[in-house]
Amino acid sequence: GAAPAGAAYAPRMSFVVEPATPRAPAAITATVVQEPGESATRTQRVSFSSEFGFNPGFAVRGCTAAQEEARACPEESRIGTLTSVTGLGTFGGPVYFSEDFRLLIFVRGFAGLVEEKLVGIFVVRPDGGYDSIFDNLPNLAATFAELRMEGGPKTFSLTPKRCGRHLVIGHFTSHNGEEARSEASFEVSGCPTFVRDLRLSAASFRAVRRSSDRKRSGYGTTLTWRLSREASATQVRVERRERGRWRAVGAVTGPGRKGLNSLRFDGRLGGRALPPGRYRFALSAEGGRVERIRFRVRGG
């Protein structure tokens, strides 16, 4: 059942980014949920890290001061929608972008009989991140509030370029002076995996033909490389130079750790020793760019 009046003030925020890929002008949905009986929020501040960048494709024509005064912001200045569920019913309305870089939300309820203007501002922090702040919110508790911000040319920010987990932090102050904090996270994925720093312990070696060869010097080589991020594996293709062209002759699978990786290669593929000749390794991980390093298999 409903929580009694005076329930602990603890707004919970969630955050969805679509698409959650690097440096994307993504659509963002921020949701704040409260239990019945909690105090109404007076101030909401959401902090974004400095990893969010400015969208150079942002192409919204801001609502002018005269249009704002008349509560007649044009559709081309709309960048999102707010929906809020309260004890008095559901309220909502469009989100506009103003000429002076503010958010304007004209919240309507009771079949349009009630309308309230909410104003959000942006503050750049010394660390390079920024805060989105809504102050002087109405003293009406919402058990559910969802702010949907459109993507593409209607968003002014880009998602972080770094893959992995990112935090968005919400700070809330109620009309009774209570304070609360809620962290929401989202994952950025789809970053390319870079292979770099290829090295061979020996660029010229003999292929192992007998088990005793493994203990002798001059047989086989150790390939090392670095990965920019964790991968399921590293694909290592072996190519041979024949008649002026490189031809794939086989492949092996290497580890996919972020950072340093190594693979011992004895000069054998498919149970057979490679014949003498010029070869190269072609390395890639999870569809990333292929990097190559040459070697020679000697006879004798």
Side-chain angles (χ1 to χ4, degrees), residues 143-262:
T143 55
F144 174 87
E146 180 181 80
L147 183 64
R148 290 179 174 266
M149 305 296 284
E150 296 188 22
K154 289 204 167 189
T155 180
F156 48 82
S157 67
L158 297 177
T159 57
K161 65 179 180 180
R162 176 179 59 84
C163 276
R165 181 171 176 261
H166 295 268
L167 282 180
V168 178
I169 303 173
H171 308 267
F172 305 89
T173 303
S174 76
H175 279 266
N176 293 328
E178 303 152 295
E179 295 187 350
R181 170 187 166 114
S182 179
E183 293 184 353
S185 66
F186 65 96
E187 291 279 337
V188 172
S189 60
C191 293
T193 302
F194 295 105
V195 179
R196 56 179 183 264
D197 298 338
L198 276 65
R199 298 285 188 274
L200 289 170
S201 62
S204 177
F205 56 89
R206 294 182 177 91
V208 170
R209 297 181 183 277
R210 297 173 296 273
S211 58
S212 59
D213 291 340
R214 300 181 190 278
K215 300 178 182 179
R216 301 168 61 187
S217 63
Y219 287 83
T221 189
T222 298
L223 170 66
T224 60
W225 68 96
R226 291 184 178 274
L227 291 184
S228 61
R229 55 189 293 266
E230 193 81 12
S232 57
T234 303
Q235 289 71 49
V236 183
R237 190 170 67 248
V238 181
E239 301 173 344
R240 186 180 184 186
R241 185 74 170 177
E242 293 181 345
R243 299 177 182 177
R245 293 186 177 182
W246 291 100
R247 182 177 66 87
V249 294
V252 294
T253 300
R257 292 183 293 273
K258 179 181 178 180
L260 185 63
N261 294 268
S262 66

Side-chain angles (χ1 to χ4, degrees), residues 103-121:
L103 295 180
L104 307 173
I105 308 178
F106 297 102
V107 182
R108 299 178 179 91
F110 295 112
L113 297 177
V114 174
E115 180 177 279
E116 177 116 16
K117 182 176 76 170
L118 309 181
V119 178
I121 63 171

